[in-house]
Amino acid sequence: MNRFSLLLLVGMLLMLWGISGVSKLSQAAIGSGFDGSVVSNVNAPGRLILVGFIGSRVASELIERGESTVIIKDEDRSLADDKINGIKPGDVVN
Amino acid sequence: MSSVSDSTKNPTNSPSRTTLTKYVVMALLALLSFGLTGLGAIIVMFALSTLRAGRDSAASHGISSINSSRLGGVAIVITFILFLIGMVLLSSYTPGVVRDVTFLHLWSTVFVCVILGGAEDIKADLLSPYFRLVVKLLVFGFFLWTTPNVVPSSIGVPGIDYLLSFPLIAWGLCTVFCVGFINAFNMADGANGLIPGVATIAFGLLFLEYGRPAEGVLFFVCLMFLIFNVVSGWFFLGDMGSYGLGAALVCYGLLGVAEGDFSAGFMACLLSYPCVDFVVSVVRRMRKGLSPFQADNGHLHNRLYAFYSQSFKSRVTPNSLTGLTISGASSGVCLILYALGWIPVESNAWFGVFGLQVAVYLITLSRLRSSQMNESAAMSGVSGQ
């Protein structure tokens, strides 16, 4: 594998790791019934390492806006549907 | 894949101390802002900056004095698409293009502009300027014709509001405005961090307004590119980047104004530099009897760069300072006022702020011009002795 491919692969994996992390945060927010514990916990060390100071706040903003823009995994759809009063995750997103 | 190693940037095989410092600074800024995710984006951009394709010599640019790649737009598009694919694969995120026909048309228009710019980046003058202009007019004409909800019915300026009350005139005006704006965005892309800075602030504000993932991803990608561009100077946005970002911003801006989410004055204030610089440059060239689209070094960013370069020995610092100063003093002011919440985003009072920005632009342009003329007069006096 040449240097270009290696760098591209490492960069892509790191980005995917971050997306997966935000997805897990969304699941945690849904799991806790949007009680604000995930949204307000912007300075958790693990979260800061994965998505940084700005990214942590962006993730919180995405989750806070809601229910309407939240990102979750497919298997959690039914759980989410129960908890957010009929607004399905992924609605009104762009 | 053909790539250039550090040995191209530096005659020795190992990277120089300056290059290493740049790596560290970029990595630190990316880690602080977006953590390991940001670092991943910087690594992808770095990999793309090493490609042989799209490399420009220093002589081919008005400001930059180092060899760079003009594939910055390609890097932005690839990083954006990678992120979206990741979101679709790792979550149940459904892109707006799938569920809303307005966003489907909007992003199709952006895609055509990206392709047009990409063709120019890969091979200069592959498409004639006339052909590109006609394609842009056609694609925006089609977009605004098929999605009339994007055309504002009023913008708070009496004469223009009267014209906008006629649907056909409104469609024509908006089409010409969109094409003009993209050209303005491309024309203003002359210093490290200038257009990336404006785009970062604009997408950041759009994200704060709407909270949609697409604007969040664009904000992330533009911020990472801004860091890479300002610190290293190894990347230019290129036509692909300026056309793509310009098209996305003008479409989102029109949609926001048409839906009454924010005033036209707010958008004018947010994107003031490209618009004002474009109009002033066209008027300046026409007064000299030149073609309005002929490239020259009379832009504010050229004059500010000349001013800064007297104080710095570095080749990148004055270039990056120029871009950051202008983007900070134009869109940055809008960001600060928005954050302070002094003026509601729907208010026409933003036109007043825009008027002040125009005044500051004209005064600064005039002062920098006179100081440069005095300097060249002094230089010719010295050389004549």
Side-chain angles (χ1 to χ4, degrees):
Chain A
M1 188 180 279
N2 64 19
R3 199 180 68 153
F4 172 79
S5 309
L6 185 68
L7 284 171
L8 207 60
L9 183 66
V10 170
M12 280 167 56
L13 286 175
L14 284 173
M15 282 185 3
L16 291 178
W17 192 13
I19 297 164
S20 171
V22 176
S23 179
K24 280 176 186 159
L25 284 176
S26 302
Q27 287 174 62
I30 292 162
S32 63
F34 291 106
D35 63 354
S37 59
V38 176
V39 169
S40 59
N41 195 21
V42 286
N43 291 323
R47 189 166 157 178
L48 286 181
I49 290 169
L50 193 60
V51 289
F53 285 97
I54 298 176
S56 181
R57 280 150 183 83
V58 168
S60 282
E61 191 71 26
L62 272 174
I63 296 165
E64 198 172 15
R65 297 277 178 123
E67 298 117 52
S68 58
T69 55
V70 78
I71 304 165
I72 61 159
K73 285 185 176 172
D74 281 332
E75 57 263 32
D76 296 316
R77 265 185 188 281
S78 55
L79 173 68
D81 289 351
D82 293 340
K83 295 210 173 191
I84 56 177
N85 298 327
I87 303 169
K88 292 183 177 59
D91 279 355
V92 202
V93 296
N94 175 37
Chain B
M1 192 72 72
S2 178
S3 63
V4 285
S5 65
D6 287 334
S7 57
T8 313
K9 293 164 187 155
N10 181 31
T12 59
N13 282 327
S14 59
S16 68
R17 196 173 166 180
T18 315
T19 307
L20 279 175
T21 310
K22 286 179 180 178
Y23 290 156
V24 172
V25 172
M26 284 191 289
L28 276 177
L29 288 173
L31 277 169
L32 280 172
S33 55
F34 274 94
L36 290 171
T37 318
L39 185 64
I42 289 284
I43 291 173
V44 168
M45 287 181 185
F46 173 73
L48 292 167
S49 78
T50 61
L51 290 178
R52 282 192 195 283
R55 292 198 78 76
D56 274 353
S57 67
S60 63
H61 288 278
I63 283 186
S64 176
S65 53
I66 60 172
N67 295 339
S68 310
S69 169
R70 61 173 181 273
L71 296 185
V74 179
I76 286 180
V77 170
I78 288 177
T79 314
F80 179 68
I81 291 172
L82 279 176
F83 213 96
L84 284 187
I85 291 172
M87 283 166 69
V88 171
L89 291 178
L90 294 173
S91 70
S92 62
Y93 165 70
T94 310
V97 290
V98 178
R99 59 173 68 232
D100 190 333
V101 73
T102 301
F103 287 116
L104 176 65
H105 287 181
L106 189 155
W107 282 102
S108 304
T109 307
V110 173
F111 178 73
V112 174
C113 293
V114 162
I115 297 295
L116 270 182
E120 193 63 16
D121 283 341
I122 289 163
K123 191 176 186 311
D125 299 324
L126 182 69
L127 307 172
S128 71
Y130 180 73
F131 176 80
R132 275 182 281 155
L133 186 69
V134 169
V135 172
K136 278 183 276 187
L137 280 169
L138 284 174
V139 75
F140 273 101
F142 181 76
F143 167 59
L144 295 169
W145 189 265
T146 52
T147 44
N149 57 318
V150 177
V151 180
S153 54
S154 76
I155 61 165
V157 180
I160 298 175
D161 284 353
Y162 174 72
L163 292 173
L164 289 176
S165 63
F166 301 99
L168 201 64
I169 296 175
W171 168 77
L173 281 176
C174 286
T175 303
V176 171
F177 170 75
C178 288
V179 175
F181 180 80
I182 291 177
N183 283 329
F185 225 60
N186 190 30
M187 198 185 274
D189 179 30
N192 290 343
L194 202 168
I195 288 301
V198 169
T200 304
I201 293 170
F203 285 120
L205 283 180
L206 285 172
F207 174 73
L208 288 174
E209 269 302 294
Y210 294 112
R212 291 183 296 222
E215 283 101 328
V217 175
L218 280 167
F219 166 67
F220 161 73
V221 174
C222 287
L223 182 61
M224 290 305 108
F225 181 80
L226 177 69
I227 290 171
F228 194 92
N229 184 228
V230 164
V231 175
S232 72
W234 297 333
F235 246 158
F236 293 119
L237 205 51
D239 286 348
M240 189 185 221
S242 55
Y243 282 9
L245 293 177
L249 278 174
V250 78
C251 291
Y252 271 118
L254 271 183
L255 186 61
V257 173
E259 290 182 345
D261 296 330
F262 35 74
S263 68
F266 175 75
M267 283 312 292
C269 187
L270 182 60
L271 304 168
S272 57
Y273 184 74
C275 301
V276 176
D277 187 65
F278 179 74
V279 173
V280 170
S281 299
V282 166
V283 170
R284 185 185 64 242
R285 289 163 191 166
M286 286 174 77
R287 282 175 64 184
K288 285 182 184 171
L290 300 170
S291 160
F293 300 106
Q294 186 178 329
D296 64 10
N297 287 329
H299 299 276
L300 178 64
H301 53 261
N302 292 107
R303 293 177 186 177
L304 193 60
Y305 171 75
F307 175 75
Y308 276 139
S309 57
Q310 294 161 8
S311 312
F312 297 95
K313 286 181 181 172
S314 160
R315 290 177 297 175
V316 177
T317 308
N319 190 341
S320 299
L321 263 180
T322 301
L324 290 178
T325 305
I326 293 175
S327 57
S330 55
S331 304
V333 169
C334 188
L335 174 68
I336 291 167
L337 290 175
Y338 175 88
L340 292 172
W342 287 352
I343 310 171
V345 284
E346 308 88 5
S347 169
N348 284 332
W350 285 100
F351 278 117
V353 181
F354 177 66
L356 285 175
Q357 287 177 323
V358 174
V360 170
Y361 175 95
L362 292 173
I363 292 167
T364 313
L365 190 75
S366 157
R367 288 189 69 99
L368 284 172
R369 187 183 173 204
S370 53
S371 76
Q372 278 160 21
M373 282 170 75
N374 290 342
E375 243 171 61
S376 32
M379 289 280 283
S380 58
V382 169
S383 59
Q385 283 171 358

